[in-house]
Amino acid sequence: MFWPESAYGPTNQCIGLAAILRDRGHTIVFAAESSWAGKLAPLGFVEELVDLAEPEPAAADGDADAGKFWTDFIAETAPEFRKPTVEQLESFVAPTYQALIDGAKYCEPRLREIIATHRPDVVVEDNVVLFPALVTAGAPFVRIVSCSPLEVPGPGVPPPFSGLPSDDPAQWQAYRDEFDRTHRAMWTDFDSWVRAQGADALPELEFMPRDNAANLYVYPAEADYVDARPLDESWTRMDSSVRETDGDYHVPAEVADRPEDSALIYLSLGSLGGADVELMRRLVEVLGTTRHRFIVSKGPQADQITLPDNMVGAQMLPQTKVIPQVDLVISHGGNNTTTEALHFGKPLIVLPLFWDQYENAQRVDELGFGVRLDTYSFADAELTDAVERLLADTDLRARLDEMGAAIRDRDGLRVGADVIEQVGTRHRDSVD
């Protein structure tokens, strides 16, 4: 049984693992937030829907409502993304945690019902807060970290969500102190509730347990932090997790046929970043002045983003089939996009918006795999110069080609599926 956070990143990550396990003959139950209705059963999974709050009355036009949700969310939230990350702790990170906690409390009875119905041999959660029904199910529990591995904190690495450099700890403690100030009361309440549901106490100021049957995280070895923050033997790194369920993508002739000095570039800010129409329009306008060609994932407000002649795009694209065909990726730094770009050996320009995107952007920049830019205050020339510099760096491109081949050879998706399968099989055999 898989229970991913409702965002595309964690859900797609779980779909990739689940598809392999399905093909090996296992029954896959997806407990999924209700907006995923009808999207998982066609993939051969048992689909169990879960509300995280009292359902809203059904709208006459679901697509319009979905767009309105993202428009409203960005209108309310985007100003927070312009603040330093230490200030976002109180105004964005803590409220986000609280919303997730509220959802966990609301759906606890429904998750217990699903578990009682299916009696899974292994339960897998990809989220940033614990849903205690999952660890009290009488089955082994596997945690997936599909954000940056800094979600698992340690004294020798920058604090999560900060985007602070790894080689300069000067600001780390001030950030940790602010995290404590803004999150302590909420964590204390959540930990008490988790224990009241029959689960073990949580680690200090962490919202997920570490002492699990197995723990998985997604990050290439070449970018990992394990030298500075060792992990015990319960942790397995999936160097990448590139799902194999995306449809094929054929590069349209408008951008496939291009001058010899023109590169092909993929632009995506994810569902949330793509909903910031003002930001997307600015990126499209600046990049439209270059000689290069672009494939653009336009996001939920696609009809409000007009592309110039050197671009093609759509609201959503099969990203894992697009990235192998391009020369450069411009991204928000979501963990899926970041690790997929490195899996295929592509340099990155990263414009982070929130959560772990800052640390992914920082890690890409400090390791020389690409460039981090200020999402809302970059100068036009900074973006176009970064594009030209990365495309011209033949040594970097060769290094990333070699690194990508090594990452693909390590086949992280099957590494993760193996761990889940082994945990579930041991439990089933012990019961039998």
Side-chain angles (χ1 to χ4, degrees):
M1 172 180 159
F2 284 84
W3 171 240
E5 202 270 322
S6 183
Y8 281 100
T11 303
N12 283 331
Q13 145 76 16
C14 287
I15 287 171
L17 291 165
I20 290 176
L21 293 167
R22 174 205 62 202
D23 291 347
R24 292 178 181 178
H26 302 292
T27 300
I28 306 298
V29 176
F30 249 93
E33 189 270 325
S34 293
S35 66
W36 287 84
K39 299 179 175 68
L40 299 165
L43 299 175
F45 309 139
V46 178
E47 186 179 287
E48 293 279 12
L49 299 178
V50 179
D51 290 320
L52 296 175
E54 194 67 29
E56 295 284 343
D61 185 345
D63 289 340
D65 255 8
K68 184 177 186 303
F69 169 81
W70 285 114
T71 301
D72 292 346
F73 185 90
I74 286 296
E76 296 169 4
T77 312
E80 303 304 319
F81 304 155
R82 293 170 168 84
K83 296 178 179 179
T85 55
V86 70
E87 295 181 19
Q88 291 186 30
L89 284 172
E90 183 167 32
S91 62
F92 177 73
V93 176
T96 300
Y97 266 121
Q98 188 62 61
L100 291 166
I101 289 169
D102 293 344
K105 291 180 177 180
Y106 181 87
C107 76
E108 179 78 357
R110 173 61 176 145
L111 287 177
R112 289 185 182 275
E113 179 183 81
I114 294 169
I115 288 164
T117 298
H118 294 283
R119 301 179 62 193
D121 295 302
V122 57
V123 176
V124 183
E125 181 184 355
D126 188 341
N127 210 318
V128 297
V129 304
L130 177 65
F131 290 69
L134 306 180
V135 294
T136 58
F141 177 77
V142 176
R143 173 188 178 184
I144 299 179
V145 176
S146 64
C147 293
S148 156
L150 289 185
E151 185 181 315
V152 185
V157 291
F161 321 130
S162 68
L164 295 172
S166 298
D167 60 356
D168 182 7
Q171 299 178 62
W172 294 2
Q173 192 55 50
Y175 189 96
R176 291 188 180 115
D177 291 345
E178 181 66 0
F179 187 92
D180 190 312
R181 185 188 74 80
T182 55
H183 288 66
R184 171 69 63 178
M186 176 174 56
W187 175 84
T188 300
D189 175 78
F190 183 55
D191 179 58
S192 297
W193 177 77
V194 164
R195 287 186 280 113
Q197 309 313 305
D200 293 336
L202 293 168
E204 180 75 3
L205 273 180
E206 296 182 41
F207 293 83
M208 283 287 288
R210 296 196 191 191
D211 187 15
N212 306 311
N215 298 290
L216 298 169
Y217 71 103
V218 184
Y219 225 59
E222 293 83 353
D224 204 354
Y225 301 87
V226 286
D227 290 344
R229 194 272 339 268
L231 296 169
D232 66 37
E233 62 184 11
S234 71
W235 289 90
T236 299
R237 178 180 57 241
M238 301 163 56
D239 285 80
S240 60
S241 180
V242 177
R243 61 193 180 277
E244 297 165 349
T245 53
D246 279 348
D248 290 337
Y249 182 79
H250 300 285
V251 177
E254 304 96 290
V255 295
D257 300 329
R258 57 189 189 274
E260 287 187 8
D261 65 345
S262 174
L264 184 60
I265 300 170
Y266 177 55
L267 168 62
S268 173
L269 298 185
S271 297
L272 185 55
D276 189 335
V277 173
E278 181 182 350
L279 176 59
M280 285 295 293
R281 284 174 175 169
R282 183 175 178 220
L283 289 169
V284 165
E285 179 182 2
V286 174
L287 296 169
T289 66
T290 72
R291 67 184 185 280
H292 304 297
R293 303 293 183 264
F294 295 84
I295 299 170
V296 182
S297 180
K298 299 168 72 175
Q301 302 301 305
D303 60 343
Q304 298 185 38
I305 300 167
T306 301
L307 300 179
D309 291 341
N310 64 336
M311 300 185 184
V312 297
Q315 179 174 336
M316 294 186 67
L317 292 165
Q319 179 166 285
T320 62
K321 299 300 174 63
V322 174
I323 292 177
Q325 303 185 70
V326 303
D327 303 297
L328 172 68
V329 174
I330 301 175
S331 165
H332 59 310
N335 209 59
N336 274 18
T337 306
T338 301
T339 56
E340 286 165 6
L342 297 178
H343 174 97
F344 292 114
K346 309 300 179 181
L348 285 143
I349 295 174
V350 189
L351 301 110
L353 291 158
F354 68 98
W355 214 256
D356 65 327
Q357 296 167 15
Y358 293 104
E359 56 221 42
N360 285 329
Q362 178 63 26
R363 197 61 168 163
V364 164
D365 195 284
E366 67 189 15
L367 293 176
F369 301 153
V371 174
R372 172 183 179 176
L373 294 179
D374 189 305
T375 306
Y376 289 99
S377 63
F378 68 87
D380 293 0
E382 287 184 282
L383 177 58
T384 55
D385 289 352
V387 168
E388 298 301 340
R389 187 165 70 254
L390 291 172
L391 291 173
D393 191 339
T394 54
D395 289 342
L396 171 63
R397 295 174 67 78
R399 181 160 63 103
L400 287 173
D401 279 344
E402 184 177 344
M403 189 175 88
I407 293 170
R408 294 191 296 276
D409 283 346
R410 293 195 288 267
D411 202 355
L413 196 62
R414 281 166 183 78
V415 168
D418 288 348
V419 169
I420 295 169
E421 183 177 49
Q422 290 160 11
V423 168
T425 300
R426 284 196 300 268
H427 175 72
R428 184 192 60 200
D429 292 346
S430 70
V431 172
D432 292 343

